[in-house]
Amino acid sequence: MFSSDSFDKVAYFGHWSEDTSHQRLVRDAVATLREAMHSCADEDVRTDELKQALLFLERHMTRPEHCARFRHNLDIRDPVQRVMAVRETFASIVRTLSPN
């Protein structure tokens, strides 16, 4: 699902749209993490889709340890502590991916 090979390269105003498809994949992966963050208090969100999103982001981040921490935080037994830790890590991931 989160493979840059899954999109065909398409000419867009004379340029290849690889960057656009990559940005779309990053956005989709972040949306998957966001959904997991919102649901992790009540559900086991450790799905294959989430695992793929984390692996994809790890390969395209300067600080991939945030993804490992996100994964680890989902194992916290206490739901309140789990949500707090996952939210903090999600914010770190978003900051790392932001251009500024």
Side-chain angles (χ1 to χ4, degrees):
M1 172 174 208
F2 295 101
S3 169
S4 54
D5 296 334
S6 64
F7 287 97
D8 292 329
K9 297 175 185 169
V10 179
Y12 182 73
F13 295 114
H15 300 286
W16 291 102
S17 67
E18 283 184 73
D19 291 337
T20 304
S21 64
H22 176 75
Q23 291 168 349
R24 188 176 321 133
L25 288 169
V26 169
R27 188 175 56 237
D28 290 348
V30 169
T32 300
L33 270 61
R34 182 179 296 112
E35 185 178 321
M37 175 186 67
H38 289 302
S39 303
C40 73
D42 303 319
E43 301 173 25
D44 183 2
V45 296
R46 296 170 291 184
T47 63
D48 286 337
E49 181 180 8
L50 179 64
K51 291 174 187 174
Q52 290 176 9
L54 287 166
L55 288 172
F56 172 79
L57 291 173
E58 278 179 323
R59 289 191 304 265
H60 297 93
M61 289 178 65
T62 57
R63 303 281 311 268
E65 63 272 13
H66 294 313
C67 291
R69 201 166 89 221
F70 189 96
R71 197 178 293 110
H72 174 75
N73 289 341
L74 290 173
D75 293 333
I76 296 173
R77 293 180 74 90
D78 181 82
V80 174
Q81 290 179 350
R82 180 173 53 243
V83 169
M84 290 173 44
V86 167
R87 283 185 180 173
E88 178 186 322
T89 307
F90 177 77
S92 297
I93 290 170
V94 170
R95 276 193 306 271
T96 300
L97 292 169
S98 296
N100 293 333

